[in-house]
Amino acid sequence: MTETCMSRRSFVKSTSALAALAAAGGSVLANQNPFGVTEARAAENDQDTVCWSACSTNCEGRCALRLHVKDNEVYWVETDNTGNDEFGNHQIRACQRGRSIRRWLNSPDRLQYPMKRVGERGSGQFERISWDEAIDTIASEYKRILSEYGPESIFIPYGTGVQACNIADFIPRLCVLNGGYLNRYGTYSSAQIAKALPYLYGKRAANSNSDIVNAELVVLFGENAAENRMSGGGAGYHLMEALERGHAKVIVIDPRYSDSAATRADEWIPIRPGTDAALVDALAYVLITEDLVDEEFLATYCIGYDESTMPESAKGKNASYKDYILGNGADKTAKTPAWASEITRIPQETIERLAREIGTAKPCAIYQGKGPQRRSNGEQTARAICMLPILTGNVGINGGNTGSDHDGYYLAWASVPMEDNPVETSISTFNWLNAIDHPTELTALADGVKGKDRLDVPIKFMWNYAGNCLTNQHGEIDRAHEILKDDTKCEFIVVWETFMTDSAKYADILLPDAMPQEQPTYNSNDYAGNMGYVILGEAATEPKFERRTLYSVLTDIAEKMGCKEAFTEGHDEMEWLEIIYNSMIEDGSPLPPFAEAWKSHIVKKADPDGHSVAFKDFREDPIANPLKTPSGKIEIYSEELAEIAGTWELDEADIIDPLPVYAPENGGYLNASEATPLQMTGYHFKGRTHSCYAPIDVLQQANRQQVWINPADAESRGIQTGDRVKITNAQGTTHMEARVTPRVMPGVVAAGQGAWYKGGADGTDEGGCINTLVSGHPSPLAKANPSHTILVEIAKA
Ligand code: SF4
């Protein structure tokens, strides 16, 4: 079997030639290869060519793909076959999504040509144009908007459809050369936990997920790697291996009997959505009253547990954590299991037993997924869960954890080099729609604008690369449609995509992107436990039709902007890949020379420390290795948050508390009404990575888009499995198929997120897109998406 793909040089030559032909207005049909490469290859190779690449979507797996190519087509997909597949040198095997990638690569529905909008924005009406016209239009609109509104009007929305480190950041590089762009902070995935944990620990950090092998008890809050990170290199694999090797007891706390609960756990504890912190408060009550807390750890490493370690500004006010839990704080309410049972719907006895198990198992690993924090009170929940390992002294040791989400060993991560953005202003990632609609109303104290007291320039131009967050993945989709269709607000949107997503319909110029498997890529692991890895992907085939790589298109735009030389520095894509790779070696990454890595395409290395342990140094010597908090210790009571809570302008229902304790949700179960009596929660779905892979037929068939409803709720509504149901609230309406199952607790319905929005004539979504129902009101501290805080009613459609 021939083990060579497009050579480095032939990739650059063919993409340049295609660009030149396309820019000249020529059309290229799939069966009219302009270079004769197909014929040449067919003559050269009557057997397969096998090309290395990676699944580059945002499940955090980055699994290896070995693409079998014949006649310039990927016709079969395998995965990693290297090494001896031992723990720590295991194969990074792709899941059902990655293995279906040829149906994405070869889909007849892929975009083929550059297009311009001809109907109302969002109508989906486009007309084919030449690359010359596309580049001219983009460059002239970019120049006009820069000159009329300045660089703060330029925005790059969040988009994670392409995760290879060497591709997307060429957009900010181009922007920096033209005065900069409006920054954003946070993500749609983990903004609340990323914002909250530094107040507690100085940074967000966790033990390697493979370290579960050392635990006696594992408690997972909303963690569901068995469905969302199923790869051979990621969290799903490590959880399975660690449990098989370590034989820990595993308890999953989740409103839904997820596949993780079903296949990786000894016990499932269903919990009312948004109330995890109330459960933690009551667990703390039992731990404290039954003398199961680690007093020495709390006295040595923490401030704010009890009065003896409170900061000066909060002394003498009964404001400590212990005061709050035992009922001596401002609310005069003891956080007993009976109190929490009312809120969480977990029986009192279960709470008491769980507390005793956590208090006596050594070590005990407490992890949270990203679901509990992706809510309207997510920052409080994220910090509260961390209190369990803090109270029991399980931080900084093997087999314990911080209470945060997973982490792991990394070989190297780097991106496209660029100067600092000259624009210092930034907004939260979730707030971009408001920065289009009513920018001057956004302030630092009310909306988290950074670098300025008030935003004074609207977003007028957006570069949307491989992202479906303009509508589908954002939330408040109906409102997004209304704001985006008005092209006097955001005046120009350029979109790179592979399919006509709902976000792509809002493009003024829509460009057909080459997929990562059609270009050289650098892929780094994420959350990969005790084995770091890097995959250098090669172009398996030439881009077909008039598809082009991002870099080649940006190079043409840079030329029109007069900065081509500064943008490219004379390098082609392969040279940039090598530059980026070598920069990591210069930074000390233990990578082999580029030529060697390019030959094998995959580099793996076991963690020399076995499993990484967060804050190990701090645990060993807190004086020599202080945390990056103001006190250098774990700040159970945060003076910084007390200051923020006292100065920021918040809605009454939005809570920032200096203590990591329960705060009822804004839009949670207490706000349920006759019109919207059910809580709805989304989850990451086996059939998709966010909205990627959504149109792949085999995945749709194997993973039906359904809303789960408990038999008790279904019966009272006359709903049966297979019924088409209408799910509605003030944000919008979506239709889905029902699945009646006790796998979701009564009063709660659940559906996989990421299904593609399909707007009907009356504005109803026929695609089962849960974000149709999500509020645009951001969470209080991170100003982030409250994606799983939803109230709805369901009826037969
Ligand atoms: S979707 Fe994730 S787990 Fe599946 S192949 Fe891709 S990177 Fe791997």
Side-chain angles (χ1 to χ4, degrees):
M1 191 169 286
T2 308
E3 292 279 349
T4 56
C5 292
M6 295 186 71
S7 73
R8 299 169 54 184
R9 243 355 95 193
S10 70
F11 167 77
V12 172
K13 262 170 64 186
S14 69
T15 51
S16 307
L18 182 61
L21 179 76
S27 77
V28 186
L29 301 177
N31 59 358
Q32 293 175 346
N33 189 309
F35 314 110
V37 177
T38 301
E39 290 77 6
R41 175 167 288 147
E44 278 170 22
N45 308 313
D46 54 2
Q47 292 178 302
D48 291 3
T49 298
V50 182
C51 306
W52 277 89
S53 189
C55 176
S56 194
T57 58
N58 186 24
C59 96
E60 299 166 342
R62 326 274 194 273
C63 297
L65 300 176
R66 294 170 61 247
L67 307 171
H68 288 244
V69 179
K70 207 182 260 182
D71 296 336
N72 203 28
E73 300 284 353
V74 173
Y75 80 101
W76 183 40
V77 178
E78 283 186 294
T79 186
D80 188 12
N81 64 350
T82 61
N84 54 11
D85 202 26
E86 281 177 356
F87 191 49
N89 184 27
H90 42 271
Q91 293 178 353
I92 307 155
R93 297 184 191 161
C95 76
Q96 56 174 281
R97 299 188 290 254
R99 289 173 198 241
S100 73
I101 204 155
R102 74 178 180 87
R103 290 169 189 269
W104 184 350
L105 281 161
N106 299 336
S107 171
D109 295 330
R110 271 188 69 182
L111 301 178
Q112 300 173 349
Y113 311 105
M115 293 189 282
K116 71 176 179 189
R117 171 171 68 90
V118 291
E120 184 184 54
R121 204 192 259 160
S123 66
Q125 293 171 268
F126 289 93
E127 185 177 280
R128 181 179 172 182
I129 56 174
S130 69
W131 272 106
D132 268 351
E133 183 179 346
I135 303 279
D136 278 345
T137 307
I138 294 166
S140 68
E141 284 298 294
Y142 187 28
K143 282 180 193 164
R144 177 184 70 78
I145 289 170
L146 272 175
S147 131
E148 283 180 33
Y149 302 100
E152 281 192 35
S153 69
I154 309 298
F155 190 64
I156 306 169
Y158 188 72
T160 60
V162 173
Q163 288 287 286
C165 311
N166 62 314
I167 296 179
D169 279 350
F170 278 109
I171 296 178
R173 180 179 164 89
L174 177 70
C175 292
V176 164
L177 291 168
N178 289 281
Y181 59 95
L182 179 64
N183 294 289
R184 55 177 165 76
Y185 60 86
T187 69
Y188 283 82
S189 296
S190 57
Q192 286 94 330
I193 191 171
K195 182 73 178 177
L197 261 54
Y199 292 100
L200 188 65
Y201 286 123
K203 67 176 183 179
R204 170 182 165 208
N207 285 26
S208 156
N209 42 18
S210 58
D211 187 47
I212 292 173
V213 75
N214 293 311
E216 277 224 353
L217 174 68
V218 180
V219 182
L220 303 174
F221 284 81
E223 166 58 34
N224 184 24
E227 286 178 76
N228 56 34
R229 293 191 293 276
M230 303 175 279
S231 82
Y237 165 79
H238 280 289
L239 182 58
M240 186 182 73
E241 281 291 322
L243 297 180
E244 281 184 6
R245 285 158 194 279
H247 308 294
K249 178 177 180 183
V250 178
I251 299 172
V252 169
I253 298 166
D254 198 309
R256 198 174 67 92
Y257 188 54
S258 65
D259 281 11
S260 293
T263 65
R264 307 278 194 273
D266 298 281
E267 184 180 358
W268 170 48
I269 300 179
I271 186 170
R272 178 183 260 153
T275 67
D276 303 72
L279 169 62
V280 173
D281 288 355
L283 295 171
Y285 181 90
V286 178
L287 291 169
I288 293 168
T289 55
E290 298 192 7
D291 202 18
L292 293 169
V293 297
D294 187 334
E295 295 281 357
E296 191 187 338
F297 180 85
L298 290 163
T300 309
Y301 297 94
C302 307
I303 65 163
Y305 169 64
D306 60 18
E307 188 63 24
S308 69
T309 57
M310 285 296 278
E312 279 308 315
S313 65
K315 269 196 188 300
K317 298 177 180 171
N318 291 343
S320 74
Y321 185 78
K322 191 172 177 181
D323 281 328
Y324 162 84
I325 295 293
L326 297 183
N328 304 320
D331 67 356
K332 298 287 177 220
T333 303
K335 309 306 176 303
T336 62
W339 168 84
S341 183
E342 288 283 311
I343 297 169
T344 62
R345 303 182 71 188
I346 299 172
Q348 188 176 328
E349 314 76 62
T350 305
I351 298 172
E352 287 164 359
R353 175 180 51 80
L354 179 61
R356 289 171 195 137
E357 287 193 63
I358 291 172
T360 53
K362 293 286 181 242
C364 175
I366 310 280
Y367 286 86
Q368 60 182 296
K370 296 189 181 71
Q373 59 90 49
R374 206 181 289 113
R375 309 188 63 94
S376 71
N377 63 352
E379 298 94 342
Q380 285 295 126
T381 301
R383 285 163 63 229
I385 292 171
C386 296
M387 280 310 299
L388 293 174
I390 291 170
L391 288 167
T392 52
N394 276 298
V395 177
I397 58 170
N398 277 107
N401 187 31
T402 58
S404 183
D405 49 345
H406 303 294
D407 214 334
Y409 177 60
Y410 297 88
L411 281 182
W413 189 94
S415 186
V416 176
M418 70 187 91
E419 299 294 322
D420 288 344
N421 184 0
V423 173
E424 290 180 0
T425 315
S426 65
I427 59 171
S428 85
T429 287
F430 189 56
N431 247 340
W432 63 272
L433 198 59
N434 295 325
I436 291 173
D437 186 54
H438 50 271
T440 56
E441 293 172 31
L442 301 189
T443 68
L445 291 181
D447 306 287
V449 171
K450 293 184 182 174
K452 265 188 183 161
D453 290 339
R454 179 181 294 276
L455 205 63
D456 51 17
V457 182
I459 291 174
K460 287 289 182 185
F461 184 111
M462 292 201 287
W463 306 97
N464 189 52
Y465 179 70
N468 200 1
C469 293
L470 298 189
T471 57
N472 213 92
Q473 298 303 99
H474 173 69
E476 55 173 359
I477 290 179
D478 289 358
R479 178 169 172 255
H481 286 160
E482 286 305 308
I483 292 171
L484 289 174
K485 81 178 183 190
D486 182 351
D487 59 13
T488 66
K489 287 186 171 172
C490 181
E491 296 180 14
F492 193 78
I493 303 173
V494 53
V495 174
W496 279 265
E497 252 310 344
T498 52
F499 287 122
M500 183 67 80
T501 62
D502 195 59
S503 294
K505 289 181 186 161
Y506 290 85
D508 294 300
I509 295 289
L510 177 55
L511 303 175
D513 197 24
M515 286 182 57
Q517 294 73 27
E518 295 164 335
Q519 55 192 308
T521 53
Y522 176 89
N523 302 276
S524 168
N525 66 269
D526 213 354
Y527 300 105
N530 61 346
M531 188 186 79
Y533 63 86
V534 160
I535 299 169
L536 295 178
E538 47 197 340
T541 65
E542 293 98 349
K544 311 281 177 55
F545 298 92
E546 291 191 20
R547 297 167 191 142
R548 293 176 60 185
T549 61
L550 176 70
Y551 182 73
S552 75
V553 176
L554 291 176
T555 298
D556 286 355
I557 296 171
E559 186 167 21
K560 297 279 179 195
M561 299 298 293
C563 60
K564 179 179 175 185
E565 205 168 305
F567 178 71
T568 66
E569 296 181 31
H571 300 304
D572 62 35
E573 282 150 288
M574 274 308 305
E575 286 165 349
W576 275 118
L577 184 66
E578 194 166 344
I579 289 166
I580 292 167
Y581 182 93
N582 287 336
S583 74
M584 291 179 275
I585 295 180
E586 282 159 25
D587 285 347
S589 295
L591 290 170
F594 181 79
E596 191 182 317
W598 184 256
K599 209 168 162 191
S600 63
H601 291 289
I602 187 162
V603 177
K604 302 176 190 172
K605 189 166 167 29
D607 185 345
D609 296 329
H611 310 277
S612 55
V613 173
F615 307 128
K616 193 174 185 184
D617 292 355
F618 170 68
R619 184 71 190 256
E620 285 167 0
D621 188 342
I623 306 296
N625 308 300
L627 299 183
K628 290 197 169 93
T629 55
S631 64
K633 294 189 174 186
I634 297 171
E635 298 204 344
I636 297 172
Y637 182 94
S638 166
E639 286 181 295
E640 288 183 312
L641 286 176
E643 165 85 15
I644 288 172
T647 50
W648 283 18
E649 295 163 13
L650 300 169
D651 282 9
E652 204 178 328
D654 288 332
I655 296 169
I656 297 173
D657 196 306
L659 291 175
V661 296
Y662 175 60
E665 286 194 284
N666 186 357
Y669 81 95
L670 291 172
N671 306 104
S673 65
E674 208 175 308
T676 54
L678 298 169
Q679 284 186 283
M680 182 166 193
T681 186
Y683 58 91
H684 286 29
F685 191 60
K686 277 185 290 193
R688 298 181 289 269
T689 305
H690 300 293
S691 69
C692 292
Y693 292 107
I696 307 303
D697 54 355
V698 289
L699 293 176
Q700 287 178 348
Q701 287 154 18
N703 308 278
R704 295 180 72 81
Q705 180 64 10
Q706 296 171 317
V707 57
W708 288 16
I709 181 168
N710 186 276
D713 297 316
E715 190 180 351
S716 62
R717 290 166 176 80
I719 293 170
Q720 296 186 334
T721 292
D723 283 348
R724 190 88 178 145
V725 292
K726 169 176 153 177
I727 312 168
T728 193
N729 66 11
Q731 309 299 326
T733 300
T734 184
H735 285 176
M736 251 179 261
E737 181 182 297
R739 178 176 175 192
V740 180
T741 171
R743 288 184 65 174
V744 65
M745 64 190 292
V748 180
V749 294
Q753 65 94 12
W756 279 14
Y757 177 91
K758 284 187 202 134
D762 64 350
T764 296
D765 165 42
E766 297 292 341
C769 179
I770 193 172
N771 285 314
T772 310
L773 306 163
V774 171
S775 160
H777 185 77
S779 63
L781 184 63
K783 307 299 178 193
N785 44 311
S787 299
H788 304 317
T789 302
I790 310 173
L791 290 167
V792 297
E793 178 55 299
I794 295 191
K796 280 171 89 162

